[in-house]
Amino acid sequence: MGWLGSLLSATFLTSNSTSSSRVGCGAVELQHPIGGAVYRDLKCRSLAKTMEGRAGISNFVRVVRAAFCAAILGDKGASQVDLPQKKTKKNRDGQEMKRRESESSDKPKPIFIMCVNELLKKGGLAHGSFIRSLRLLSGSIREPYLRGDLVDVTRKSRGLIPAQPEGFPNSFVRGSCGLYLRVGVHVEAVSLGDGQVKNTNLQAHILAEPVIPEGGIAFGGPMTLRIIERGGQCREFVRVVESDGSRSDWGPITLYGDPVTTVKKQLSASGTIEATHGSKKASGKGEKREEDENAYQVKESLLGTSSMFNHPGINDNLLHRGGYQALELVRLNNRTSLLWVRVDPHGIFDGRIALFQQDACLGEQLFHDGDASSQVEALRSLAERPLRVQGCVKVKSLYGVPVEELPVHLLADCLRGSVALHADLPHNPCIRLQAAFAIAQWQNNKAPTTQNAVGWIGLHLLVQYFNERFYKNGNIVSAKFSRLCLRANSGAEANNSNANNQTSTDSGEYEYLDMFTSEQARLNAIENAKSAEREEDEEYRVRSAVVTAIACVRAKDGTTPRLVLEVLQKILETGNETGPISTGSLEEECLMRSKRHKSNAGDHQHDYHELLGQEEQWFEDIDSIPYISSSLVGDALLSLCYINARPEVIEDPTTGKQVQSRANHPCLSFIRLCKKWLEWDLYKENISLEAQMKHMSPTGRSSVIAPCAITALYSLALLRQITTDSSVDDIKAGAEGSQKRKRAEVMNLIESATDSNFYVEIFDSKPLRCDATRAAAAQAVLSLCCASDRNDTSEAVGLLTGLEFVLKRMLEPSTSPGLRQTLASLMGDACTGKICSSQRVAAMTKSNSIIDSGNLMYNGPLGAHYGSENGSSIHTFVTESTMPAANAVNNGARRGLRLLRQAGKPGQNIAVSEITLVRIATFATDMWRTVNGELGGIESNSGVCEGVTPITSAVDGICSHDGILRCSLLSLWQWLWPKACIARLRVQSWKEHESTVRYKALGADKVMKIEESEKEAALAEDKSCNNLRDITTNETDRQRWRGEMAKVRREEVAAAKDTSVNSQGVNYPLHPIAKNDSWKNGGWVACAHDQRRSMGTDGGSTKSVTKLRLTVKGSD
């Protein structure tokens, strides 16, 4: 919106009862600086976008100005603002004209002055005064968008006021969910009645259907509908979303433009590539193109081996043989004048809107609409195409390309940098990286059954992008983090205006040096340039997304294709990127230095540097300084957490049974690479720490490779351990000679990677390593401890052991406050089943943006989607077939959590020893004391970490001055023991044995005790909080009533209407949707379809329709 202020600036508009379902963040992490900051930032952005769409940025700024004016006047003691009176003329007798003065005092004051006076009267900017000021300053034209209640609804007002949405702003600030809306668009010929159809005019039929989840609220009000037709005609209509949750008919809307294509052109293109002669210029001229028998086979890829495609329209570079772009091909499917449709383009509701239109419309929207949010919507919708809901198309292929594969080719053109027609330039890198994720989602949705099957077109398109830009002569080329931009002189601009190799960004005034192919042309461009500037090249962001997208591709059985493993292995074997990436030759570098020296000759700092004798160093290009980039290696290491490789299953020649192959596990080579990269990065960190201690430099080192390597190492080791049969290891153990040595080497590697002591040594090494490396080591310890209890063979103390380790390290005075917060979050991840699947530490370390890292944690590595078929849920839904390592960790954590909660409880079938019971009670005691600001079991802070200067003082406890850490630990306590810790109560019942040796040997004397006086004090304190408890109860009930209003409203309307009036559900309230597993994974569209289909409220016939569709005539 332009002005957001502090992240806490919206607190006067919100309350603690605000639900976090809008951003997928739980209440446990609301107070955490990482999870809570993501929630607060996104909540403020969403609220700001809604205000901008409804009131306008100018009106919001006027409210802010009124608040500042009222604050300044209030400080000066003013009670109101009076307009200055005009100077009045005196009459002949010298008297003032009282009549004019009285008339001027009766004139109405401007609205701005009225708002300032109201704020002065109220003494501040409250929730109600802010909304009233915004409504007054916005005017009557925006009044329909700003209607709503300012007072919170209560259950007691049900009989007086009908259960209807509160509107703006309560529904957007205090609502338990956002807007979910499905919109379907279909174009057909105008019907004249009696079965006659008028083919000259077309109409767009549009149906809008709100999706209200159980516990959610209904949104209603005017919404903008934008329709773009061929010829540049853009029309906007205002339609209404019904507040009772009923389906609305927003059509029909007559279309007046000419069709994009005709039936003749479509049928002409529907033949094979030979019929159209393979070229746009040769099409229709009867020329025949000679092609050999291997022309349709894709050659061996630079990274990995490509399979064979049976598409005659695709060449070995995965481009069309005739030179057609995917947008040109998909246009041949659009026989209407409709280009694309957008709903709520101004962000008035800022909700999730799933718009169903044909693929051609999505292609036009992607390459023609200049709005970035519109382009992302088109990308995510194309990732789910073709849908099963789509109607049958008579044309199966266009110029040799199957119609069902056109969406992925549209995404590939966007990724590879095809010119976007709205700007005559490629898409922004932020859009292109979303295209990479969309291609991976499309491939997962349309993946073959197994990894060895044919049909990985999306994967090969991703690899082809990497081949074209970053692979040359068998080596991976470093990314260009900057580009040299030359500003041409007027004469040079005129002479080079017709050059074919010139790429300009502003009418030929600027040109990139890397766009000149020959060396002489580069030298001439530098010589004739007026100035040279460096600008950031964000292609490395697209490359990072492509590496992640490649690693996330899976087959239907959950396994990773071999090509993915080949690509990642090649990247990890290449090494770090080294620089500089500047000019191509020494002569070009000298010319650039001279050009920079001349451009800076007029700078006033030039004389100063000449006096210092530093003239040569002053104008030296900073880009010529060597550098080492670890971003590519970090991306590849983190991507290893997303693969799922298993040994091959072969047929035993002796028995004929299916057995696991004795060959090395596919993950073994990656485990070696991760171990080498980890050792190398830890070595560099040791050198850096030694230099830092020698020179006493306060500058620390932030590692990227080590956290990603640790995360990938333990994940792959667990994957290898889980997916390998024990019988195969037993057979290999009987090998002799060189095979025995190799066997011992492999087993030592696996044992070190799955040994928690290996990561404990990394955490405790002296001098202390950076926080990211230590946090990744702690995450590995927690995961391995939980995974050790995945089988029901022994007492599940793995989770308890990991929590004890983390809490002990958290209490050390040398631990920084930021690391403490991260350790508390890791404890919560281990207890909620996210420790291995979310990769919190590596995700936060690799990305410098809290939004990007938060998106990876909440939506998975492939990001958000459109709500239907979800190709990214395979990395967010933990199962044995999709994520074996994370599933094993969660199984162990589930058993450990059951032990912590039920240990010592009578009537439970859990065998717990006395030692384990005391350990649980001791851990609960230390954690409770830590939450309450004590030392948590440590007597003093002396000797806790010898030889290390403490960062913080632990005398008063780590939570005594850290409220956010206290909230995180308290949330973890409430998750572990919602009512009371049974193990602690059981140990406290051993009071009569306090004097025995056995009691002290078990360590029961360290468990906290409670005296009778303390019980009385606790009861008195609990009684004093009754008023606060009543307020909390009322607020909870008010928020619960908000979630029930939509259901009650449907019952009220259903009681007053006849259910047989409209079988399609138009103007009839629909039932709320239950949040099943599909909804939890983001598939709210599929969830709504399944439930309404089962109830017969989707508007179609149960026998003939399998998904929601529009009933139309003449659909092809």
Side-chain angles (χ1 to χ4, degrees):
M1 196 170 66
W3 184 86
L4 286 177
S6 170
L7 292 179
L8 300 178
S9 61
T11 53
F12 69 93
L13 296 175
T14 184
S15 63
N16 292 332
S17 63
T18 301
S19 174
S20 56
S21 62
R22 175 65 175 85
V23 294
C25 178
V28 175
E29 294 186 345
L30 180 58
Q31 296 295 333
H32 192 268
I34 294 179
V38 173
Y39 169 75
R40 291 193 297 268
D41 185 71
L42 292 182
K43 186 67 176 180
C44 290
R45 290 173 184 265
S46 176
L47 187 61
K49 186 177 180 180
T50 303
M51 286 186 181
E52 180 181 358
R54 290 179 174 267
I57 182 63
S58 59
N59 296 322
F60 177 77
V61 172
R62 292 170 67 190
V63 176
V64 175
R65 289 175 179 173
F68 275 106
C69 293
I72 295 174
L73 295 174
D75 294 339
K76 294 183 178 181
S79 59
Q80 65 176 2
V81 179
D82 295 326
L83 292 176
Q85 298 180 0
K86 297 181 180 180
K87 295 182 178 180
T88 57
K89 297 181 180 180
K90 296 183 178 180
N91 55 11
R92 298 178 181 178
D93 301 333
Q95 295 179 356
E96 293 183 356
M97 303 176 66
K98 296 183 180 180
R99 183 177 59 85
R100 294 185 179 181
E101 181 180 352
S102 60
E103 291 179 356
S104 62
S105 61
D106 296 335
K107 290 182 179 180
K109 296 181 180 180
I111 298 178
F112 184 82
I113 301 298
M114 294 174 57
C115 295
V116 174
N117 290 336
E118 184 178 0
L119 296 180
L120 287 173
K121 183 179 180 180
K122 296 292 184 180
L125 185 63
H127 177 60
S129 58
F130 172 82
I131 299 301
R132 281 191 293 270
S133 301
L134 190 64
R135 290 175 179 173
L136 291 174
L137 293 174
S138 299
S140 58
I141 192 174
R142 295 183 179 268
E143 181 181 358
Y145 302 101
L146 300 177
R147 292 174 181 172
D149 300 329
L150 297 179
V151 181
D152 292 344
V153 296
T154 59
R155 196 181 299 271
K156 298 178 180 179
S157 60
R158 176 180 177 181
L160 303 177
I161 304 175
Q164 56 186 1
E166 297 173 282
F168 181 84
N170 281 12
S171 295
F172 297 90
V173 176
R174 296 189 173 96
S176 57
C177 72
L179 171 69
Y180 294 90
L181 184 68
R182 294 198 299 172
V183 181
V185 180
H186 182 81
V187 179
E188 64 175 353
V190 178
S191 176
L192 301 179
D194 298 334
Q196 299 180 4
V197 177
K198 185 179 180 181
N199 294 324
T200 56
N201 291 334
L202 298 177
Q203 288 182 342
H205 296 266
I206 303 174
L207 288 181
E209 177 185 286
V211 177
I212 305 175
E214 289 185 352
I217 63 173
F219 289 83
M223 178 175 288
T224 303
L225 176 66
R226 178 181 294 173
I227 293 182
I228 295 90
E229 297 184 57
R230 186 185 178 187
Q233 184 178 6
C234 177
R235 291 182 291 168
E236 287 190 353
F237 305 89
V238 178
R239 295 295 185 260
V240 177
V241 178
E242 299 296 337
S243 59
D244 56 1
S246 60
R247 189 179 294 125
S248 303
D249 189 356
W250 287 358
I253 298 177
T254 304
L255 305 178
Y256 301 100
D258 296 330
V260 176
T261 188
T262 61
V263 179
K264 183 178 181 180
K265 293 181 179 179
Q266 190 181 68
L267 295 178
S268 175
S270 62
T272 61
I273 190 68
E274 291 84 2
T276 55
H277 310 294
S279 175
K280 291 194 295 185
K281 295 182 179 180
S283 178
K285 296 183 180 181
E287 299 180 4
K288 188 173 182 180
R289 181 179 178 180
E290 295 182 358
E291 299 183 20
D292 55 4
E293 59 183 0
N294 297 324
Y296 305 147
Q297 180 177 356
V298 180
K299 298 180 180 179
E300 184 177 354
S301 178
L302 298 177
L303 288 174
T305 303
S306 299
S307 59
M308 182 181 295
F309 295 100
N310 296 322
H311 308 331
I314 303 299
N315 59 15
D316 54 354
N317 292 323
L318 299 184
L319 297 174
H320 197 270
R321 295 183 183 275
Y324 288 97
Q325 286 190 352
L327 180 60
E328 298 176 282
L329 296 177
V330 79
R331 280 175 176 169
L332 296 173
N333 264 344
N334 188 6
R335 284 154 48 181
T336 70
S337 62
L338 179 66
L339 294 185
W340 74 89
V341 177
R342 285 205 67 190
V343 178
D344 193 23
H346 307 296
I348 293 178
F349 286 88
D350 190 33
R352 294 178 176 88
I353 302 176
L355 181 61
F356 295 90
Q357 50 187 335
Q358 56 180 328
D359 298 347
C361 297
L362 296 176
E364 301 284 357
Q365 181 179 351
L366 175 60
F367 285 92
H368 279 173
D369 200 331
D371 190 357
S373 61
S374 177
Q375 297 172 10
V376 173
E377 290 177 4
L379 289 172
R380 293 175 178 173
S381 182
L382 285 170
E384 300 173 355
R385 300 304 178 95
L387 298 174
R388 294 189 300 269
V389 66
Q390 288 183 248
C392 297
V393 181
K394 295 180 180 179
V395 179
K396 299 299 181 182
S397 65
L398 295 171
Y399 290 117
V401 180
V403 173
E404 61 181 9
E405 292 185 1
L406 287 178
V408 74
H409 287 287
L410 285 170
L411 299 174
D413 285 351
C414 177
L415 171 64
R416 297 166 83 169
S418 298
V419 174
L421 303 181
H422 72 273
D424 293 334
L425 286 173
H427 287 87
N428 186 280
C430 296
I431 303 299
R432 293 171 55 215
L433 66 87
Q434 293 292 335
F437 293 148
I439 292 176
Q441 292 183 19
W442 184 93
Q443 183 64 86
N444 289 341
N445 287 330
K446 313 300 182 294
T449 306
T450 61
Q451 60 177 350
N452 298 325
V454 179
W456 301 99
I457 178 64
L459 174 59
H460 286 289
L461 287 170
L462 291 172
V463 176
Q464 184 64 24
Y465 162 84
F466 203 94
N467 291 336
E468 293 173 350
R469 292 181 179 262
F470 301 104
Y471 200 86
K472 186 177 182 180
N473 298 328
N475 297 317
I476 294 180
V477 181
S478 302
K480 297 180 180 180
F481 294 94
S482 62
R483 299 182 71 182
L484 191 60
C485 185
L486 304 176
R487 183 178 182 182
N489 287 315
S490 58
E493 177 184 344
N495 295 332
N496 297 334
S497 59
N498 297 325
N500 295 328
N501 56 359
Q502 175 179 319
T503 300
S504 60
T505 59
D506 188 9
S507 302
E509 184 179 2
Y510 292 92
E511 50 195 14
Y512 291 115
L513 181 63
D514 54 10
M515 300 305 295
F516 293 89
T517 56
S518 64
E519 182 178 358
Q520 187 61 37
R522 293 165 61 92
L523 294 175
N524 294 336
I526 297 176
E527 183 67 27
N528 298 326
K530 183 178 181 180
S531 61
E533 300 176 357
R534 293 276 182 180
E535 65 178 36
E536 182 183 4
D537 186 7
E538 298 186 66
E539 194 65 28
Y540 67 93
R541 300 180 59 187
V542 184
R543 183 192 63 181
S544 174
V546 169
V547 173
T548 303
I550 291 175
C552 291
V553 173
R554 298 282 190 89
K556 288 298 183 182
D557 60 356
T559 57
T560 301
R562 291 183 179 180
L563 179 58
V564 174
L565 304 181
E566 295 176 8
V567 172
L568 295 179
Q569 184 173 358
K570 185 64 177 180
I571 293 175
L572 291 175
E573 290 175 349
T574 301
N576 280 325
E577 301 173 279
T578 58
I581 306 297
S582 55
T583 51
S585 62
L586 181 60
E587 186 177 2
E588 294 179 11
E589 184 67 24
C590 294
L591 282 176
M592 285 301 307
R593 290 174 178 266
S594 176
K595 185 71 63 175
R596 186 176 294 273
H597 176 58
K598 293 179 181 179
S599 62
N600 294 330
D603 196 339
H604 66 278
Q605 296 182 0
H606 180 66
D607 300 333
Y608 173 74
H609 286 278
E610 283 185 343
L611 295 176
L612 297 178
Q614 299 176 352
E615 181 179 0
E616 296 297 329
Q617 291 82 2
W618 171 60
F619 58 84
E620 182 178 0
D621 194 352
I622 193 173
D623 289 298
S624 62
I625 300 177
Y627 68 89
I628 297 178
S629 175
S630 305
S631 60
L632 180 59
V633 177
D635 294 333
L637 288 172
L638 181 58
S639 298
L640 292 178
C641 301
Y642 310 136
I643 66 174
N644 180 19
R646 301 170 180 267
E648 291 186 1
V649 178
I650 60 176
E651 183 178 351
D652 191 346
T654 58
T655 62
K657 298 181 179 180
Q658 297 291 327
V659 296
Q660 198 174 86
S661 174
R662 301 178 186 178
N664 289 331
H665 197 283
C667 294
L668 187 59
S669 58
F670 293 110
I671 296 176
R672 291 195 181 100
L673 290 171
C674 291
K675 188 72 175 299
K676 291 180 180 179
W677 278 111
L678 175 60
E679 293 174 349
W680 172 243
D681 199 63
L682 293 180
Y683 170 75
K684 292 195 299 181
E685 189 172 350
N686 290 334
I687 299 300
S688 177
L689 292 174
E690 292 177 1
Q692 179 181 348
M693 296 180 63
K694 180 179 179 180
H695 301 288
M696 301 299 291
S697 173
T699 304
R701 179 178 182 271
S702 178
S703 177
V704 177
I705 291 182
C708 296
I710 291 175
T711 306
L713 182 61
Y714 81 82
S715 298
L716 293 174
L718 284 176
L719 180 61
R720 190 265 176 196
Q721 195 176 63
I722 294 166
T723 56
T724 303
D725 295 340
S726 58
S727 60
V728 176
D729 287 337
D730 295 339
I731 295 175
K732 291 182 179 180
E736 297 180 357
S738 60
Q739 295 294 332
K740 185 176 182 180
R741 289 192 299 270
K742 292 181 180 179
R743 162 70 183 172
E745 179 187 355
V746 171
M747 294 308 299
N748 291 333
L749 177 64
I750 298 300
E751 289 177 0
S752 62
T754 55
D755 187 6
S756 59
N757 292 326
F758 172 74
Y759 303 100
V760 172
E761 292 176 358
I762 296 177
F763 191 97
D764 295 335
S765 60
K766 305 295 186 303
L768 296 178
R769 302 191 181 276
C770 64
D771 287 351
T773 303
R774 301 181 73 193
Q779 181 177 351
V781 172
L782 277 169
S783 299
L784 293 175
C785 289
C786 293
S788 62
D789 295 330
R790 62 183 181 272
N791 299 320
D792 298 333
T793 57
S794 60
E795 203 172 43
V797 295
L799 178 61
L800 176 61
T801 303
L803 294 179
E804 288 175 340
F805 166 79
V806 174
L807 182 61
K808 182 178 179 181
R809 298 309 188 273
M810 188 187 301
L811 294 173
E812 291 181 355
S814 58
T815 305
S816 65
L819 181 57
R820 288 196 181 110
Q821 299 285 354
T822 305
L823 293 178
S825 295
L826 292 177
M827 296 171 70
D829 289 345
C831 296
T832 54
K834 298 183 297 182
I835 186 66
C836 188
S837 59
S838 62
Q839 298 94 26
R840 175 187 292 269
V841 178
M844 294 294 178
T845 304
K846 190 179 72 69
S847 176
N848 292 327
S849 173
I850 192 172
I851 301 300
D852 294 341
S853 56
N855 176 63
L856 191 150
M857 287 181 56
Y858 298 131
N859 297 320
L862 294 181
H865 55 97
Y866 212 58
S868 293
E869 297 173 284
N870 183 8
S872 62
S873 62
I874 195 172
H875 298 285
T876 57
F877 192 67
V878 178
T879 60
E880 185 177 0
S881 60
T882 58
M883 304 178 70
N887 184 69
V889 172
N890 289 350
N891 288 338
R894 195 177 295 111
R895 294 188 63 227
L897 189 62
R898 188 185 305 115
L899 176 68
L900 290 175
R901 289 177 173 176
Q902 300 180 5
K905 187 176 182 180
Q908 297 295 328
N909 298 326
I910 300 178
V912 182
S913 61
E914 293 181 348
I915 298 177
T916 303
L917 201 64
V918 173
R919 285 182 60 187
I920 297 174
T922 304
F923 170 74
T925 298
D926 296 342
M927 187 174 175
W928 181 256
R929 289 174 177 173
T930 303
V931 170
N932 285 275
E934 301 179 16
L935 292 176
I938 301 179
E939 300 298 335
S940 64
N941 65 342
S942 60
V944 175
C945 198
E946 297 180 358
V948 179
T949 303
I951 298 177
T952 57
S953 175
V955 175
D956 298 330
I958 59 176
C959 289
S960 57
H961 304 288
D962 194 343
I964 298 179
L965 178 61
R966 176 180 293 182
C967 291
S968 300
L969 293 178
L970 182 59
S971 300
L972 177 62
W973 174 279
Q974 293 176 346
W975 176 259
L976 292 175
W977 302 291
K979 295 182 178 180
C981 179
I982 306 300
R984 176 183 59 84
L985 298 177
R986 183 71 177 272
V987 175
Q988 287 177 352
S989 65
W990 299 347
K991 186 175 181 180
E992 62 272 10
H993 303 286
E994 289 183 357
S995 58
T996 61
V997 179
R998 175 67 174 170
Y999 186 85
K1000 294 183 179 180
L1002 291 174
D1005 56 331
K1006 298 180 180 179
V1007 179
M1008 59 182 175
K1009 306 174 181 61
I1010 183 170
E1011 303 295 338
E1012 293 297 331
S1013 59
E1014 294 178 344
K1015 289 183 179 180
E1016 296 177 358
L1019 292 175
E1021 182 179 359
D1022 186 70
K1023 186 177 180 180
S1024 64
C1025 296
N1026 287 335
N1027 294 333
L1028 179 61
R1029 188 180 295 106
D1030 294 339
I1031 295 175
T1032 305
T1033 302
N1034 294 334
E1035 181 63 28
T1036 304
D1037 182 72
R1038 181 184 293 115
Q1039 192 66 14
R1040 187 181 293 110
W1041 168 241
R1042 279 195 176 92
E1044 298 174 0
M1045 289 176 61
K1047 183 178 180 180
V1048 173
R1049 179 61 176 169
R1050 179 179 183 274
E1051 295 175 354
E1052 294 177 353
V1053 177
K1057 289 186 177 181
D1058 186 8
T1059 57
S1060 61
V1061 172
N1062 196 324
S1063 60
Q1064 298 296 326
V1066 178
N1067 299 326
Y1068 187 80
L1070 302 173
H1071 61 85
I1073 302 299
K1075 295 182 179 180
N1076 53 17
D1077 292 338
S1078 179
W1079 185 286
K1080 294 177 182 178
N1081 287 316
W1084 62 274
V1085 174
C1087 177
H1089 152 259
D1090 293 337
Q1091 296 186 32
R1092 288 182 176 170
R1093 188 66 198 157
S1094 61
M1095 296 183 180
T1097 58
D1098 63 340
S1101 173
T1102 306
K1103 297 182 180 180
S1104 59
V1105 183
T1106 58
K1107 275 197 171 183
L1108 176 67
R1109 64 176 178 83
L1110 298 178
T1111 305
V1112 294
K1113 296 181 180 180
S1115 174
D1116 56 355

